[in-house]
Amino acid sequence: MAQLSVRLLGTFQVSLDSQPVTGFESNKVRALLAYLVVESGQPHLRQKLADLLWPDLPARRSTTNLNQALYNLRKVICDHQVDPAFLLRTQESLQFNPHSDYWLDVEAFQSGLSQTFSWEQPSSALKHQDIAGLQAIVELYKGDFLGGMDFDVGPAFDEWRLVVQQRLQQGMIEYLHQLAEAYANQGEITPALSYARRQVEIDPLCEPAHRQLMRLLAESGQRSQALVQFKRLQVVLAEELNITPEPQTQALRDQIRNQDHITA
């Protein structure tokens, strides 16, 4: 039995028993695999998949293209040689087999947290093994979901990719926030600042991340840098959304400026 490993966080990578899988004829074959493996919870009508990947073609032509892409996909992942097969096929539908021997970074990223600790625990209550578990999850996130690839598929696929990408980004920010708080509560400011900064890099418009970074900078004696961080947020919000920082963020700025006790 061969294990299929699929990495979609960052660069698209596929391996079979640790050997890189090559031979994909096009990015649309890669897109087909990505969609099927992420949406493995149910079968998908072949015509729907054909319309997703070739939205501008007549139904008969798009179906032919889907069949060709499926042939190439089955060949490169050796689907005909494994039991159970990676792909479940009927005349009407296709489905990635959730009971086959595979590993998907997206799935591990989403499910890993429940295996380490409950979100009901405050960050200060996290144990060493909980923090290590969170760090392992964070390491899976090598970049945005299917980031850096131009699949040239169509608007429906792009919309699906964006929805998944935003969901995973939000999950990553939550993980990083927990790690930053946990390290701050242990008095380890350097890793706390690192995790806070990474949140802002992922989503420059996330005000809770900016507030956490401002607070950590101020608490570490870097009040001037905390105020610089506020200015950066102010600029990006004005340029991207034409809005000002939230009252909570402005109140934190005032506390830092006046050297008050930080309560945010």
Side-chain angles (χ1 to χ4, degrees):
M1 181 178 292
Q3 184 184 64
L4 184 71
S5 176
V6 182
R7 295 183 180 272
L8 304 178
L9 292 171
T11 304
F12 179 98
Q13 293 181 328
V14 180
S15 61
L16 195 63
D17 277 351
S18 301
Q19 297 301 312
V21 172
T22 59
F24 291 100
E25 290 182 346
S26 69
N27 276 348
K28 294 205 175 186
V29 180
R30 296 180 178 90
L32 176 61
L33 173 59
Y35 185 85
L36 288 174
V37 72
V38 171
E39 303 294 338
S40 63
Q42 62 182 10
H44 303 277
L45 293 176
R46 288 182 180 240
Q47 189 57 59
K48 178 183 176 182
L49 293 171
D51 293 340
L52 180 73
L53 300 176
W54 292 274
D56 299 326
L57 295 182
R60 187 170 183 177
R61 177 81 178 277
S62 64
T63 300
T64 298
N65 286 354
L66 175 65
N67 290 337
Q68 292 173 343
L70 178 61
Y71 176 82
N72 176 237
L73 175 58
R74 295 194 67 220
K75 179 180 179 180
V76 297
I77 66 174
C78 300
D79 189 49
H80 60 289
Q81 297 178 7
V82 297
D83 184 23
F86 296 123
L87 299 174
L88 303 176
R89 299 169 295 122
T90 71
Q91 287 189 338
E92 299 292 329
S93 67
L94 295 175
Q95 180 181 6
F96 190 89
N97 186 357
H99 303 296
S100 61
D101 187 8
Y102 77 101
W103 180 88
L104 173 65
D105 60 351
V106 171
E107 194 172 271
F109 180 80
Q110 291 178 311
S111 65
L113 191 59
S114 63
Q115 300 172 13
T116 55
F117 71 95
S118 168
W119 276 108
E120 298 301 320
Q121 297 183 68
S123 299
S124 59
L126 298 185
K127 299 177 182 179
H128 178 75
Q129 63 267 29
D130 297 327
I131 295 175
L134 265 178
Q135 288 174 319
I137 296 169
V138 164
E139 285 301 312
L140 292 172
Y141 197 94
K142 304 300 185 183
D144 287 339
F145 174 71
L146 294 178
M149 289 193 67
D150 181 10
F151 286 92
D152 190 26
V153 175
F157 182 87
D158 289 341
E159 181 179 352
W160 168 78
R161 177 169 66 166
L162 181 60
V163 168
V164 176
Q165 185 179 95
Q166 290 176 339
R167 183 176 73 243
L168 295 173
Q169 278 184 348
Q170 185 57 44
M172 180 62 167
I173 289 171
E174 291 174 359
Y175 297 166
L176 292 171
H177 184 91
Q178 288 284 330
L179 279 170
E181 288 296 310
Y183 274 108
N185 288 328
Q186 293 180 357
E188 300 185 46
I189 193 63
T190 299
L193 283 169
S194 176
Y195 287 122
R197 287 192 174 100
R198 193 170 175 191
Q199 293 173 67
V200 174
E201 292 171 359
I202 292 173
D203 185 1
L205 299 174
C206 180
E207 282 203 54
H210 281 275
R211 285 197 294 268
Q212 185 185 52
L213 179 54
M214 289 169 60
R215 177 172 54 79
L216 291 172
L217 285 167
E219 290 176 351
S220 66
Q222 303 178 66
R223 288 181 178 263
S224 61
Q225 288 300 314
L227 295 175
V228 168
Q229 191 62 41
F230 176 84
K231 292 294 294 183
R232 290 172 178 163
L233 171 64
Q234 195 174 35
V235 169
V236 73
L237 289 178
E239 291 180 346
E240 298 293 331
L241 303 177
N242 194 30
I243 62 174
T244 59
E246 297 170 354
Q248 185 179 354
T249 310
Q250 296 186 46
L252 176 59
R253 181 269 319 268
D254 294 341
Q255 290 174 357
I256 295 170
R257 179 186 289 163
N258 298 331
Q259 298 190 11
D260 295 336
H261 176 70
I262 306 299
T263 59

